[in-house]
Amino acid sequence: MTAIRITEPRSQLSVTALLLPEKAPENAAFLLAYFGTPRVVPGIHAMWTGPEISCPVPSTDLEGQAYAKPLPAENATLNPQPGDIVLSYVPPRMWGGNPNAIFDIGLYYGQGARLLFPIGWLAGSVVAQVRVEERDRFASACGVIRRNGACDITFSLMEA
């Protein structure tokens, strides 16, 4: 089984999320291709969705890449649960006329999350889940990120 290692040193974030390819095959394939080499992605606490660290994939990582294609909602949710890793896809020009598609990796760490944005409700795909035994540590580290502000989060693939 493939897993994603998620780390950020300042907050001491260091967790493993199990990929869910049987429930979200196209979204999992995106992450497998994108994390084929370890990636550092900017992270910031979300403003609209509640207890989430939002990690928008930089547009420079998407240009000309075969994996940067429209994604369907798979294993869809509007209310992510603690430990859910949600991949959200926003088509070009949907959000504020942005000409680029948006791919956002959401790290959900607490109760009460919702995928309600200024553009309305947008279902995201639960593509991985943090191991149950790591969720308290995950929530604590995400709380530190919330208090400290923007950071760089490292994602890498591993065998679980």
Side-chain angles (χ1 to χ4, degrees):
M1 175 177 264
T2 303
I4 303 166
R5 192 78 188 142
I6 305 168
T7 60
E8 195 283 318
R10 190 171 61 167
S11 66
Q12 298 182 358
L13 173 63
S14 181
V15 296
T16 302
L18 302 176
L19 206 57
L20 302 171
E22 69 286 354
K23 292 184 178 183
E26 289 186 50
N27 286 264
F30 173 91
L31 290 184
L32 284 169
Y34 182 57
F35 297 146
T37 56
R39 300 283 185 165
V40 177
V41 180
I44 190 163
H45 198 276
M47 185 164 57
W48 300 97
T49 54
E52 177 206 5
I53 304 302
S54 173
C55 303
V57 175
S59 60
T60 55
D61 289 353
L62 299 167
E63 294 169 3
Q65 299 299 321
Y67 57 75
K69 62 181 182 167
L71 292 174
E74 301 174 314
N75 198 25
T77 187
L78 291 172
N79 298 102
Q81 298 302 303
D84 284 351
I85 308 302
V86 176
L87 182 57
S88 296
Y89 169 77
V90 181
R93 305 209 184 283
M94 185 172 174
W95 193 316
N98 179 355
N100 301 313
I102 298 169
F103 295 81
D104 184 84
I105 303 162
L107 311 179
Y108 288 87
Y109 65 90
Q111 294 292 332
R114 69 252 173 232
L115 291 171
L116 177 60
F117 300 91
I119 59 171
W121 291 97
L122 179 69
S125 299
V126 180
V127 72
Q129 291 178 317
V130 172
R131 292 177 189 253
V132 172
E133 63 272 17
E134 296 181 26
R135 289 187 187 166
D136 287 343
R137 191 164 25 94
F138 177 57
S140 294
C142 289
V144 171
I145 293 170
R146 179 180 183 188
R147 289 185 297 279
N148 288 342
C151 64
D152 289 325
I153 298 177
T154 301
F155 295 88
S156 57
L157 295 177
M158 60 181 283
E159 286 300 314

